[in-house]
Amino acid sequence: MSNIILIGFMGVGKGSVARQIVKQSNLMAIDTDDIIESMENRKIKEIFASDGEKYFRDLEKQVSIWLEQSVQNTLISTGGGFFKQENLKNIGKVVLLDSPFDKIYERIINHPNAAKKLKKRPLFQDLEKAKELYDERSKQYKALADVIVDVSDRSLKDIADEIIQKVEK
Ligand code: S3P
């Protein structure tokens, strides 16, 4: 089986959905942001603050090459900008978690750890700028997706069921 790659905007729930799919299947999961934080032994926030976005994107590139060359049969959740890697479609089946911007924001601010969830995301510091980024990326996400799953107002179980069923086809 090829890999499954979850893409979508910051805070849409890629990590939570990945954990739910793991519960419901025999897949193992990895996350591109987690890999980068391990490589660098520091948080994404610190990487952006000390070395800037370009440096972070170069790390994503390194990860994308490794994924394409060395990873199989795995569920891969990604940072919200990882979809820009040019080899994305060679890595596996691309599943977009789709949701309107206001639902994503609602999901973040209703989280018990909302302040932390926002603080750790350098590109979500200004609401207007985040919305602009969402608008800019929306079509690009859709153009790359093999499968699009609407995740707004749905249970994790429901979302995971739909993904498992659609990727098996
Ligand atoms: C980013 C999303 C983040 C993280 C980094 C950049 C983006 O991941 O990779 O802050 O460009 O959208 P999440 O989607 O998990 O927030």
Side-chain angles (χ1 to χ4, degrees), residues 144-160:
L144 283 163
D146 297 306
V147 173
I148 300 176
V149 179
D150 181 358
V151 299
S152 46
D153 297 322
R154 290 176 68 193
S155 71
L156 284 174
K157 162 98 176 51
D158 208 21
I159 297 164

Side-chain angles (χ1 to χ4, degrees), residues 36-166:
I36 288 171
E37 288 187 343
S38 303
M39 282 161 75
E40 291 280 304
N41 194 26
R42 54 188 175 148
K43 297 287 179 194
I44 304 282
K45 197 177 109 189
E46 287 150 14
I47 299 175
F48 267 73
S50 309
D51 295 288
E53 182 170 348
K54 164 84 174 65
Y55 180 87
F56 174 75
R57 299 301 173 201
D58 287 346
L59 293 170
E60 286 191 316
K61 174 163 242 33
Q62 246 177 280
V63 173
S64 76
I65 293 167
W66 170 73
L67 289 170
E68 181 182 352
Q69 292 178 348
S70 310
V71 176
Q72 283 149 15
N73 307 323
T74 298
L75 175 63
I76 302 163
S77 55
T78 62
F82 187 86
F83 76 106
K84 295 215 167 162
Q85 295 305 318
E86 57 191 24
N87 67 343
L88 184 81
K89 304 280 282 186
N90 299 340
I91 299 173
K93 202 163 208 178
V94 179
V95 176
L96 168 64
L97 305 189
D98 190 33
S99 173
F101 183 79
D102 53 344
K103 295 279 175 191
I104 292 176
Y105 188 59
E106 223 174 76
R107 181 176 179 273
I108 295 179
I109 57 168
N110 287 330
H111 194 279
N113 265 333
K116 206 173 149 207
K117 292 260 158 204
L118 277 174
K119 224 171 141 199
K120 74 170 198 177
R121 297 187 157 105
L123 302 179
F124 218 128
Q125 298 310 296
D126 176 309
L127 190 56
E128 252 175 61
K129 282 197 187 133
K131 171 75 171 77
E132 272 171 33
L133 191 60
Y134 175 92
D135 290 338
E136 183 189 311
R137 284 182 179 173
S138 272
K139 271 197 192 139
Q140 303 170 359
Y141 283 134
K142 286 187 178 132
L144 283 163
D146 297 306
V147 173
I148 300 176
V149 179
D150 181 358
V151 299
S152 46
D153 297 322
R154 290 176 68 193
S155 71
L156 284 174
K157 162 98 176 51
D158 208 21
I159 297 164
D161 283 343
E162 182 179 338
I163 294 172
I164 292 167
Q165 185 235 326
K166 287 195 169 156

